[in-house]
Amino acid sequence: MSVVDVLAAGLETMPSMGETGMASGITLAAGGDAMNQSTALAKLGNPVGLMAVIGDDAQGKFILEQCKARNINTAGLCLDPNIPTTTSIVLIDNSGEHVFLGARAGSAVAMGPEHYNLDLIKPGLKVFAIGSLYWAPRFDRDAVLPLLRKAKSAGAITVADMVMDYIKDGLDGSLREAWQYLDYAAPSELEAELLTGSTDPRIIAAEFRKRGVKNVILKRGLKGIIAFIDDEVFECPAFKVPAVDTTGAGDNFLAGFMHCLVRGVPPDKALRFASATAALSIQAVGAGAGLKDLQQVEEFLNDRTLGKPLGYS
């Protein structure tokens, strides 16, 4: 999904009804899983296109402008005049943690198969990523399967992350036929626990895999990453950095991982590169604003390996 975020950073205390709260700054930014991943991939030097739906309103125009500024191809961006662009208010405290306020209706929730052009998925596509499974019921039910099937037929690696399954659709609901076309599922630890009923990473991975998912990456926040890739298990700790805004950290992680996937980087190095991408992304206000470019990530990693070459580029 692609949305507009109104970011209030440095919130001291949550105001009571009728009061005025104070923040250190308020910023307008383009966000949403798909937008965040596209932005980070573009910053790392990858050609990237965005498939999403926006409304014919000021927020939709803002997203288009941001895509143009970031060199993101918008051929797959659908403008629907009948729905408003989803807009979120993000409240960020002094530790960098955040809460979201979102509208119940909007472009992100209204996504359906009519908003996507399968003809844009062509041979030569290297990675196809879906953001926010379990967010839009019609998208999960009617669009995910044909999108993933077409991407696999085009030879792409397929990746998906998700949100909390608040509607209790479960692993065997709307997405049951789509899992077999997914190379990498990347839920957060809490999202995966809600879906599988287990806190054991190995059981979580097994639950996804028995439904057809090839590989599973669990994002565990400050605890880092545990990944089940092919027949191996990889653990990658999170880098300790000053967190200004953790919004979009997982999206930037996935962008860093996909950057490595298309270059054949071994999983252990790919996960470390992705973790570095996420660590840099949270050091400024805005989803991924702390990430600048590929050189920044490579220098960050080299500083932490005594200058040893890592072979990411």
Side-chain angles (χ1 to χ4, degrees):
M1 61 178 172
S2 184
V3 307
V4 171
D5 290 333
V6 180
L7 301 143
L11 188 68
E12 297 172 1
T13 58
M14 184 68 69
S16 299
M17 191 65 66
E19 295 180 344
T20 299
M22 298 303 294
S24 60
I26 297 177
T27 307
L28 192 67
D33 291 5
M35 184 70 186
N36 295 340
Q37 292 172 25
S38 297
T39 298
L41 282 165
K43 288 179 179 179
L44 294 172
N46 301 280
V48 60
L50 175 64
M51 298 180 78
V53 56
I54 56 174
D56 186 13
D57 49 24
Q59 293 96 316
K61 291 180 176 64
F62 178 74
I63 289 172
L64 283 169
E65 291 168 359
Q66 292 298 301
C67 287
K68 183 177 180 180
R70 298 166 184 178
N71 200 31
I72 296 170
N73 189 311
T74 58
L77 198 58
C78 177
L79 191 151
D80 188 332
N82 298 312
I83 51 178
T85 303
T86 294
T87 303
S88 300
I89 296 173
V90 188
L91 306 177
I92 308 160
D93 67 17
N94 288 321
S95 71
E97 292 301 321
H98 57 269
V99 294
F100 287 90
L101 295 174
R104 293 186 183 278
S107 55
V109 177
M111 291 188 298
E114 70 273 19
H115 297 124
Y116 297 91
N117 182 0
L118 291 175
D119 292 337
L120 293 175
I121 303 175
K122 301 175 181 179
L125 177 67
K126 296 184 182 299
V127 177
F128 182 80
I130 291 181
S132 298
L133 295 178
Y134 296 104
W135 179 263
R138 279 203 316 123
F139 177 74
D140 289 355
R141 185 184 66 240
D142 300 325
V144 172
L145 177 59
L147 284 167
L148 288 177
R149 185 186 285 149
K150 183 67 181 292
K152 289 306 299 177
S153 71
I157 300 168
T158 53
V159 180
D161 71 352
M162 53 201 68
V163 298
M164 300 291 281
D165 179 20
Y166 291 118
I167 62 173
K168 308 297 184 186
D169 192 35
L171 290 172
D172 298 315
S174 301
L175 296 166
R176 63 188 179 279
E177 294 183 46
W179 297 124
Q180 63 187 304
Y181 298 101
L182 192 57
D183 293 312
Y184 291 88
S188 73
E189 191 173 44
L190 286 176
E191 292 159 358
E193 289 174 8
L194 182 62
L195 284 167
T196 64
S198 176
T199 60
D200 185 328
R202 292 181 182 274
I203 293 176
I204 289 170
E207 288 296 321
F208 277 94
R209 281 181 152 174
K210 75 181 185 182
R211 290 166 172 82
V213 178
K214 309 301 186 298
N215 307 285
V216 180
I217 300 173
L218 288 180
K219 298 175 290 188
R220 303 188 295 168
L222 293 175
K223 294 188 291 183
I225 298 294
I226 183 167
F228 299 82
I229 299 175
D230 297 329
D231 296 323
E232 296 187 70
V233 181
F234 301 89
E235 291 195 57
C236 184
F239 289 100
K240 294 182 179 180
V241 296
V244 176
D245 179 8
T246 59
T247 309
D251 302 330
N252 280 262
F253 170 86
L254 276 181
F257 186 71
M258 289 186 281
H259 171 87
C260 292
L261 274 180
V262 300
R263 291 163 174 79
V265 176
D268 56 339
K269 289 187 175 182
L271 292 167
R272 194 161 186 269
F273 181 96
S275 295
T277 304
L280 289 165
S281 77
I282 66 174
Q283 296 184 56
V285 175
L291 176 66
K292 303 305 179 187
D293 53 30
L294 178 60
Q295 181 180 344
Q296 180 198 26
V297 182
E298 292 180 330
E299 289 177 352
F300 178 90
L301 285 165
N302 282 328
D303 287 346
R304 283 151 181 80
T305 54
L306 300 179
K308 295 179 182 178
L310 296 173
Y312 292 107
S313 58

